[in-house]
């Protein structure tokens, strides 16, 4: 009898929670719905009623080719892709190597490096942006190259990534495994690349997800480094495009949807890994 | 092979951390030190020489009322946003870990805003505030409604709404991890001892999740405090510069007003605030560990 009541209460509680979550969920996707229903309308229909599902002039696809051409979508997509991929790979390789050195060798130089890295995590980007532009733009003149942006992305994310790999190597890589490999004649580099690195897979996934999302979406640093139109990444292209066509709402909707689409499509396929990766990164 | 000689250590360091050290130094350490130097010079952004001006930049930074107003605004915005983000995230996390149907779908769904960059999000919401919600409000009140972005407090409220929407999903995942780390046995034992659901959350789950709270709070504090992208695309400081937050003020001071020295001095004040917050995080985190 008591069990039945408890079971019924639980059912009611779950039903209420599902309703609350559903309402919140609609509020969460409301902005996306707005973009999707307006992207297929002409400008005058959007102005007349942005909430209507279909405008008076009906369904149109013309916003897409216009936006793609005017914001040079495929080029900025390519630029974003190159920058994100190389920055992420660079960060993962360099930070995992550094973390391995720090965890396994109790040297003074390692301690200094690690402490400096941890301390540097509180430096806000705003403190570094003027000196970066002054040094690499004014004195060395190396801005306007993708490689400069990639190196800067790596530099800014190294500390956090090294910290995460440090924790992971510390807890997940048994030292006896490495000792066995040493006896078998492996040198340090072979031990790292063939034994330690593969064990770090879950952390690699977490770091890759967090950093790739940050690199893909970053605006401020790329906007300071890449001033030439041919090098624009998606966030910069979106900003510039909005500045030029802000009154042409249909075109803007298409540009915004295009800017969101690549990562949303990726999320559709990798959703489980992304959610798990972030959750795993949080436990520490 | 000797592993305690200087040359072995040097080679190992170079192999594993050489490139990292160089990049880290070039991108973070050297610019940081050079930035300190820049606060004592006046630089217009173009010329090669940077005349030494002593503490003039700090004097003008302290005299820049616009900076202090934006800083105060940032504090208010951050305080409200941090509380709301964490409250919403915690409640959602509780609901999606209670074993309801479709909880994985909800977890994935609430995370979606985090995937999109601040610039794009800001423009999407600008459309929502200026067009969609105005239309909705006009229809309901059958009159002419004004956009939230048209007034000063409205623009800040809009920034808070967008921040909650953007960050709640991410923090939710951290709280989900926290809820999952609380073992079932403990909750079960509490239930047998007569704990109600709410009691077990307040007296058992929350204390055991201190680490998640510390992590989420400081993550949201630093993110809100340094917000720039959404500020730029959603309000761009409008109306009349009344919604410009500290990061935007610093950017404008340096790159728009071309007053790099003052901008850098103001950025350094931001750094000191961040360093205090960071120090606090380490302190609170350590204290929490001892208790747990």
């Amino acid at each position: 009898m008591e069990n039945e009541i408890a079971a019924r209460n639980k059912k009611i509680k779950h039903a209420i929670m599902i309703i609350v979550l559903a309402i919140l969920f609609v509020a969460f996707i409301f902005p996306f719905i707005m973009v999707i229903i307006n992207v297929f309308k002409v400008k005058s229909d959007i102005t007349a009623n942005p909430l209507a599902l279909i405008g008076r002039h009906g369904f149109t696809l013309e916003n897409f080719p216009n936006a793609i051409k005017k914001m040079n979508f495929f080029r900025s997509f390519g630029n974003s892709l190159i920058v994100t991929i190389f920055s992420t790979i660079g960060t993962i390789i360099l930070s995992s190597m550094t973390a391995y050195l720090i965890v396994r060798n109790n040297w003074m130089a390692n301690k200094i490096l690690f402490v400096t890295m941890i301390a540097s995590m509180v430096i806000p980007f705003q403190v570094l942006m003027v000196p970066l532009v002054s040094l690499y733009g004014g004195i060395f003149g190396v801005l306007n190259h993708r490689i400069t942006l990639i190196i800067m992305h790596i530099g800014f994310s190294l500390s956090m990534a090294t910290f995460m790999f440090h924790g992971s190597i510390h807890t997940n890589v048994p030292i006896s495994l490495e000792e066995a490999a040493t006896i078998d004649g492996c040198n340090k580099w072979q031990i790292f690349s063939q034994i330690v690195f593969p064990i770090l897979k879950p952390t690699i996934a977490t770091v890759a997800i967090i950093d790739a999302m940050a690199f893909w979406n970053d605006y401020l640093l790329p906007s300071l480094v890449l001033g030439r139109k041919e090098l624009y990444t998606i966030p910069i292209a979106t900003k510039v495009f909005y500045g030029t066509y802000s009154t042409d709402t249909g075109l803007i909707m298409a540009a915004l949807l295009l800017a969101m689409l690549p990562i949303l499509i990726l999320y559709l396929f990798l959703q489980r890994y992304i959610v798990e990766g972030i959750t795993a990164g949080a436990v520490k | 092979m000797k592993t305690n000689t200087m040359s072995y250590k040097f080679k190992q360091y170079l192999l594993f951390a050489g490139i990292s050290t160089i990049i880290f130094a070039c991108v973070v350490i050297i610019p940081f030190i050079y930035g300190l130097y820049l606060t004592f010079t006046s630089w217009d952004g173009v010329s090669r020489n940077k005349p030494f001006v002593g503490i003039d930049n700090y004097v003008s930074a302290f005299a820049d009322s616009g900076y202090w107003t934006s800083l105060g605004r940032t504090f208010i915005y951050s305080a409200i946003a941090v509380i709301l983000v964490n409250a919403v995230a915690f409640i959602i996390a509780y609901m999606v870990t209670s074993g309801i149907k479709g909880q994985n779908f909800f977890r994935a769904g609430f995370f979606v805003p985090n995937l999109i960059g601040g610039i794009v999000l800001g423009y999407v919401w600008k459309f929502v505030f200026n067009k969609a919600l105005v239309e909705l409000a006009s229809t309901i009140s059958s009159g002419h409604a004004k956009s939230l972005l048209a007034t000063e407090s409205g623009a800040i409220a809009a920034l808070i709404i967008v921040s909650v929407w953007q960050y709640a999903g991410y923090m939710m995942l951290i709280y989900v991890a926290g809820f999952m780390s609380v073992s079932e046995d403990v909750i079960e034992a509490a239930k047998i001892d007569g704990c109600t659901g709410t009691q077990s959350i307040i007296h058992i789950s929350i204390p055991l999740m201190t680490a998640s709270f510390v992590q989420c709070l400081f993550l949201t504090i630093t993110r809100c405090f340094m917000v720039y992208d959404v500020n730029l695309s959603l309000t761009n400081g409008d109306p009349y510069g009344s919604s410009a937050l500290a990061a935007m003020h610093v950017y404008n001071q340096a790159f728009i007003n071309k007053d790099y020295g003052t901008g850098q001095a103001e950025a350094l004040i931001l750094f000191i605030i961040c360093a205090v917050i960071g120090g606090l995080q380490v302190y609170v985190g350590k204290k929490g560990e001892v208790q747990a």
Side-chain angles (χ1 to χ4, degrees), chain B residues 63-130:
Chain B
D64 181 4
S65 65
Y67 175 63
W68 297 101
T69 321
S70 73
L71 208 56
R73 203 178 284 139
T74 310
F75 271 111
I76 296 169
Y77 152 82
S78 303
I80 302 173
V82 166
I83 292 169
L84 288 179
V85 168
N86 285 285
V88 171
F90 183 80
I91 292 168
I92 297 178
Y94 169 68
M95 292 196 282
V96 297
T97 46
S98 60
I100 57 160
K101 274 196 195 101
Q103 57 182 16
N104 287 329
F105 167 81
F106 283 120
R107 279 182 208 178
F110 285 117
F111 186 74
V112 169
N114 272 282
L115 302 164
I116 320 281
I119 289 288
V120 178
L121 284 184
Y123 289 136
V124 169
W125 273 97
K126 197 172 188 165
F127 175 78
V128 170
F129 282 126
N130 282 345

Side-chain angles (χ1 to χ4, degrees), chain B residues 69 73 150-153 155-156 235-245:
Chain B
T69 321
R73 203 178 284 139
T151 62
E152 182 183 343
S153 48
I156 298 291
T235 73
N236 196 15
D238 288 335
Y240 311 110
S242 64
S243 70
L245 299 177

Side-chain angles (χ1 to χ4, degrees), chain B residues 187-251:
Chain B
I187 301 287
E188 197 70 21
K191 287 250 164 78
I192 291 167
D193 287 348
C195 253
T196 62
T198 332
Q199 280 172 333
S200 74
I201 293 175
I202 294 171
H203 297 294
I204 294 164
S205 297
I206 291 180
L208 285 175
M209 284 167 67
T210 316
S212 307
F213 276 100
V214 172
Q215 194 182 3
C216 280
L217 281 175
F218 283 98
L219 217 56
T220 31
I221 290 172
T222 36
R223 284 197 180 188
C224 289
F225 206 76
M226 284 299 134
V227 68
Y228 176 76
D229 294 10
V230 174
N231 197 189
L232 178 70
S233 56
L234 183 67
T235 73
N236 196 15
D238 288 335
Y240 311 110
S242 64
S243 70
L245 299 177
M248 174 177 266
H249 184 90
V250 168
Y251 180 92

Side-chain angles (χ1 to χ4, degrees), chain B residues 18-81:
Chain B
I19 302 172
S20 299
T21 310
I22 293 167
I23 292 182
F24 180 63
C26 287
V27 176
V28 180
I29 302 303
I30 294 168
F32 182 72
I33 296 164
Y34 183 64
L36 283 176
Y37 162 74
L38 278 182
T39 61
F40 299 106
T41 67
S42 86
W43 182 50
D44 56 8
V46 189
S47 67
R48 280 207 160 254
N49 61 329
K50 304 177 174 71
F52 194 76
V53 293
I55 59 160
D56 276 12
N57 289 320
Y58 289 98
V59 173
S60 54
F62 276 103
D64 181 4
S65 65
Y67 175 63
W68 297 101
T69 321
S70 73
L71 208 56
R73 203 178 284 139
T74 310
F75 271 111
I76 296 169
Y77 152 82
S78 303
I80 302 173

